[in-house]
Amino acid sequence: MTIEQLYSLYKVHHAVSTDTRNITPNSIFFALKGERFNANEFAAQALENGAKWAVVDEGKYVTDERYILVENVLATLQDLARYHRHQLNIPFIGITGTNGKTTTKELLYAVLSQRFKTYATKGNLNNHIGVPLTLLSIDDSIEIAVIEMGANHQREIAFLCDIAAPTHGLITNVGKAHLEGFGSFDGVKKAKGELYDFLKMHDGVLFLQGDNEYLREMEMQRGISKIVRYGFSPANDIVGRLEYANPLLCVSWKIRDAEVYHTVGTQLTGSYNTENILAAVAVGHFFGIDDVHINQGIVTYTPTNNRSQITKTGQNVVIADYYNANVSSMEAALANLEVIEAEHKVIVLGDMFELGDDAAKEHRYVVDKALAIDADRTIFVGEAFYAHQNTKAEFYETTDNAKEALREHPVVNSTILLKASRGMAFEKLMDML
């Protein structure tokens, strides 16, 4: 079966499924393989649960005409998504970056939805499987799409751009993350810069944080012609300033050369989110949304998934930011806590993953950064941090150990920064706070 023939089936049923536990009725089931599973084995169950067709790549599972045998199911899913993308003549905004891409994606969605029927990546479906699934969820009624793209190796962003074909794009920032896969900070810049390469090649529009020296350098190396700049200096097309972050953000912005600033309160914490807000302003303004509706989109956005999320418990205010962590996001979170006005502050940090050979050095760096802040308690959790234990802070090898310590010595009436890589399972600590 050709992709064109498969696409004709998709257009009739317009839904794909990859999980037999959540089958969309009359969908096309794609039997993907992973390290620990082979969905070819569950194709029959998918059909029983309501799928109309099952795409498989092992002939022994084909028992009737409802099975579509292909050479590689994942490649077929990606090819179908690529084909579908090229039938959609709408703006596609690609987002990547070391930190803040999910928050920025959601802010863009909140702003653009004020005027356009917008579709944005759900959750963290930002990889070689998630992006195709996202594209195949977009129907003819959508007017603008926002596609988040993640990577931890070279050429991944280039591959995702080839599928999603962004007409517009932005990199939130570049920092020290996934060094195990990228090799170095220069490797991070090269990998994220693959989005710039695509925009340059296809005459796309770049939204650029004009005060970020690394992003400016990356753009200048490529010479992209269509650029909308946002940032804090007056040379940017959208000029912003942070009014306060105590702990929720209030931001003002204006169009370059205008006299009047537009001020907007938010439900976000973290001064580092100011530039993510300005990115949403820049995109909204570019697409013709007025200042009232831009601000309305921003003020109504509520963070979820423990990303820059304020949680008020019975005893404390918790800055829950433990969906992900790397060196640059740790720095930003600590800098934000330092400027927050609070009588009592507590820092709880967990290990950062995928730092490769730089892990020991970077964890030592974060320890020093955290100890420089005046906090009532500073707690480090995880094997990488534990290797740097000293008498100036509390160190625990596991999250369960830290939980027990917080049970024995509770924290009350404090503002607490809770930040770690997702694998540290810091949600376990919330019951103690």
Side-chain angles (χ1 to χ4, degrees):
M1 181 177 288
T2 65
I3 285 297
E4 290 80 6
Q5 291 171 321
L6 181 58
Y7 189 69
S8 66
L9 297 180
Y10 162 79
K11 288 298 287 183
V12 172
H13 305 290
H14 206 78
V16 300
S17 299
T18 60
D19 188 338
T20 54
R21 296 166 297 182
N22 300 295
I23 294 292
T24 302
N26 294 317
S27 61
I28 303 174
F29 174 75
F30 284 81
L32 298 173
K33 293 177 180 176
E35 291 182 8
R36 299 181 182 85
F37 67 90
N38 178 1
N40 282 272
E41 300 171 2
F42 306 107
Q45 183 181 338
L47 293 169
E48 290 175 12
N49 291 354
K52 185 73 173 178
W53 304 90
V55 180
V56 298
D57 50 18
E58 295 183 24
K60 65 182 180 180
Y61 294 101
V62 177
T63 57
D64 59 43
E65 70 281 354
R66 296 176 299 169
Y67 293 84
I68 300 169
L69 182 63
V70 300
E71 186 173 337
N72 183 294
V73 171
L74 175 57
T76 301
L77 176 70
Q78 293 164 341
D79 288 344
L80 182 64
R82 185 184 291 106
Y83 189 90
H84 177 54
R85 163 65 186 98
H86 288 291
Q87 315 311 308
L88 299 168
N89 187 26
I90 60 173
F92 269 69
I93 305 170
I95 297 178
T96 191
T98 300
N99 304 312
K101 53 185 176 290
T102 298
T103 298
T104 302
K105 171 205 69 181
E106 293 177 352
L107 284 164
L108 260 63
Y109 176 80
V111 169
L112 292 170
S113 295
Q114 298 295 311
R115 177 173 171 183
F116 302 100
K117 187 168 183 185
T118 307
Y119 193 92
T121 301
K122 306 295 185 187
N124 63 343
L125 291 174
N126 63 8
N127 64 5
H128 63 295
I129 297 173
V131 169
L133 291 175
T134 296
L135 295 179
L136 291 169
S137 298
I138 299 172
D139 60 35
D140 293 337
S141 69
I142 299 300
E143 296 173 299
I144 294 182
V146 183
I147 309 298
E148 180 181 337
M149 297 184 287
N152 54 22
H153 289 85
Q154 303 292 341
R155 303 304 299 164
E156 285 184 280
I157 295 298
F159 180 74
L160 296 177
C161 283
D162 180 66
I163 296 174
T167 55
H168 304 68
L170 70 90
I171 299 176
T172 55
N173 50 51
V174 286
K176 295 179 179 179
H178 303 298
L179 297 181
E180 199 168 37
F182 292 134
S184 65
F185 180 48
D186 284 338
V188 174
K189 291 190 288 184
K190 180 180 178 182
K192 300 299 183 182
E194 291 165 10
L195 174 58
Y196 286 4
D197 293 333
F198 188 90
L199 294 174
K200 168 67 174 176
M201 189 181 307
H202 295 85
D203 198 29
V205 177
L206 169 64
F207 299 97
L208 177 70
Q209 211 289 44
D211 300 323
N212 186 306
E213 61 176 314
Y214 300 122
L215 297 181
R216 284 203 318 270
E217 172 196 349
M218 290 162 61
E219 177 276 315
M220 290 175 65
Q221 290 171 349
R222 292 161 174 86
I224 297 172
S225 59
K226 298 176 181 177
I227 304 177
V228 178
R229 292 175 171 83
Y230 62 91
F232 305 98
S233 61
N236 290 296
D237 299 298
I238 298 295
V239 181
R241 67 188 183 202
L242 172 63
E243 298 295 342
Y244 57 81
N246 198 31
L248 295 180
L249 291 180
C250 180
V251 174
S252 292
W253 63 271
K254 69 170 186 172
I255 302 166
R256 185 177 59 190
D257 298 331
E259 295 183 6
V260 178
Y261 276 88
H262 309 286
T263 302
V264 57
T266 79
Q267 299 179 61
L268 278 164
T269 187
S271 54
Y272 49 86
N273 275 312
T274 305
E275 57 193 72
N276 299 333
I277 293 166
L278 295 180
V281 170
V283 172
H285 182 261
F286 177 86
F287 284 104
I289 301 176
D290 62 73
D291 58 281
V292 172
H293 286 94
I294 287 174
N295 282 2
Q296 186 168 333
I298 292 168
V299 77
T300 55
Y301 167 63
T302 303
T304 57
N305 296 328
N306 303 307
R307 300 176 188 268
S308 303
Q309 189 174 340
I310 292 286
T311 301
K312 294 183 179 179
T313 68
Q315 298 97 350
N316 301 292
V317 174
V318 180
I319 302 172
D321 194 6
Y322 49 84
Y323 186 86
N324 205 354
N326 52 57
V327 182
S328 52
S329 68
M330 284 282 196
E331 276 190 288
L334 289 167
N336 179 66
L337 182 69
E338 196 165 19
V339 300
I340 288 176
E341 295 178 11
E343 188 174 352
H344 301 286
K345 298 179 183 180
V346 172
I347 299 169
V348 187
L349 304 181
D351 278 357
M352 304 172 288
F353 295 167
E354 295 186 55
L355 291 178
D357 293 340
D358 292 323
K361 178 183 69 174
E362 300 298 357
H363 280 85
R364 172 77 258 179
Y365 176 80
V366 171
V367 168
D368 292 340
K369 281 284 184 181
L371 291 178
I373 295 175
D374 183 20
D376 291 19
R377 290 175 72 178
T378 303
I379 300 171
F380 298 98
V381 186
E383 293 180 4
F385 275 130
Y386 194 77
H388 301 286
Q389 60 183 308
N390 58 58
T391 58
K392 299 176 183 177
E394 301 172 48
F395 290 81
Y396 302 99
E397 284 193 273
T398 69
T399 301
D400 287 336
N401 294 153
K403 181 176 179 179
E404 189 58 35
L406 289 168
R407 188 196 311 276
E408 294 177 3
H409 304 284
V411 176
V412 294
N413 301 322
S414 298
T415 296
I416 305 165
L417 170 62
L418 210 58
K419 186 159 183 65
S421 285
R422 177 68 191 90
M424 292 300 296
F426 260 28
E427 64 272 12
K428 293 180 181 178
L429 302 182
M430 288 298 295
D431 292 343
M432 299 297 103
L433 302 176

